[in-house]
Amino acid sequence: TAPQRGMFIRLMSLAPALASRRAAGGARAMLRQPRPLPPSWLVVDFDGTCSAHDTTPVLPHLAEAHAPSGSGGGPSKLARFSELEQDYLRGMEEINSRPGLASEAPPPPDTGLDLRGLAAFLAEADAHSTAITNKASASGCLAGIRADDVAATLAKWSREPEHAPFKWPPPPQLRLGCAQTLALVQANGCKMGVLSVNWCPPMIRALLTPSCDFTLWSNSLDEDGQVSLSVAGGGGERAA
């Protein structure tokens, strides 16, 4: 009948709008609900990638907090670490200014990357870093850090930064949005890994564990201040 035909025409005219609303609603639902990903890994660096600042300078403060240097007359742990830090920076400055590390052959035109020059630079930088690390182990500037107490000490400094034993670097913290991003990635079915040249796994775990579960590949530090190198510098990260 005519009324039925009119109703049918009006419904047909509304169909595109209704379909558009359903599509928009579906899109919003997809954004609200994590979408499972194929089995995969996201492996990230820690210092300066997850953390807002390099956390290495915090280590001698942890060592001093857990086992004070005392009044034996020798340089404090902080002073010894500061000397080694300056030695490291001077050495890296010299390596960065050395023209001989670049490969003489031009980089492949399809990449624009001098892989041989990069490998030579990483080898020099890692050798220098390893030498400084060995000096740090021998100096005792990191001795006394108790792995089980790292998280509690960092939490206290974060709650009361005015009472932290240093002004710079600030107490370790993650970059803005890092925790939420890692949690969302894991909620979508991705496995998490952290590959770091950091010496203190308890510090990494203290900052990242609340956000996600992850596998950690890094160096380590015992209570005597001896550093064990499993990921020796940028070359080690690249090889891993």
Side-chain angles (χ1 to χ4, degrees):
T1 65
Q4 290 174 327
R5 284 197 301 273
M7 183 179 295
F8 177 76
I9 292 171
R10 285 196 296 275
L11 287 172
M12 290 297 292
S13 67
L14 291 174
L18 292 172
S20 177
R21 288 181 185 177
R22 283 197 299 271
R28 284 194 294 271
M30 289 171 64
L31 288 174
R32 287 194 299 268
Q33 297 295 326
R35 297 184 63 191
L37 297 174
S40 55
W41 279 85
L42 174 64
V43 180
V44 297
D45 181 41
F46 177 71
D47 282 294
T49 301
C50 292
S51 67
H53 305 280
D54 179 16
T55 61
T56 306
V58 175
L59 296 181
H61 292 281
L62 281 171
E64 193 67 47
H66 292 176
S69 299
S71 54
S76 70
K77 293 174 183 177
L78 298 176
R80 280 175 274 169
F81 182 87
S82 180
E83 290 177 6
L84 292 170
E85 188 176 37
Q86 293 306 310
D87 286 347
Y88 173 77
L89 294 175
R90 281 192 294 269
M92 286 306 301
E93 207 172 300
E94 193 273 329
I95 291 171
N96 285 327
S97 64
R98 197 182 306 167
L101 288 180
S103 172
E104 293 182 3
D110 57 332
T111 65
L113 180 63
D114 180 4
L115 292 177
R116 282 181 292 181
L118 175 61
F121 170 80
L122 289 176
E124 289 281 342
D126 290 354
H128 173 58
S129 176
T130 298
I132 296 296
T133 300
N134 291 337
K135 289 181 180 180
S137 293
S139 75
C141 66
L142 302 177
I145 296 178
R146 297 188 297 270
D148 292 342
D149 294 337
V150 167
T153 303
L154 295 178
K156 179 180 178 182
W157 290 345
S158 293
R159 285 194 311 269
E160 307 169 359
E162 67 278 9
H163 296 143
F166 50 87
K167 298 302 179 186
W168 186 265
Q173 58 185 340
L174 297 180
R175 285 184 178 274
L176 183 64
C178 176
Q180 296 88 334
T181 300
L182 297 182
L184 182 60
V185 168
Q186 189 161 70
N188 278 275
C190 193
K191 295 180 180 179
M192 291 297 307
V194 177
L195 176 61
S196 173
V197 298
N198 192 288
W199 297 339
C200 189
M203 184 186 302
I204 298 175
R205 295 191 186 282
L207 268 68
L208 288 181
T209 297
S211 306
C212 61
D213 298 320
F214 59 93
T215 300
L216 175 61
W217 300 275
S218 75
N219 302 311
S220 60
L221 177 69
D222 65 23
E223 200 165 331
D224 293 327
Q226 302 296 305
V227 179
S228 297
L229 291 176
S230 301
V231 186
E237 285 188 311
R238 185 169 179 258

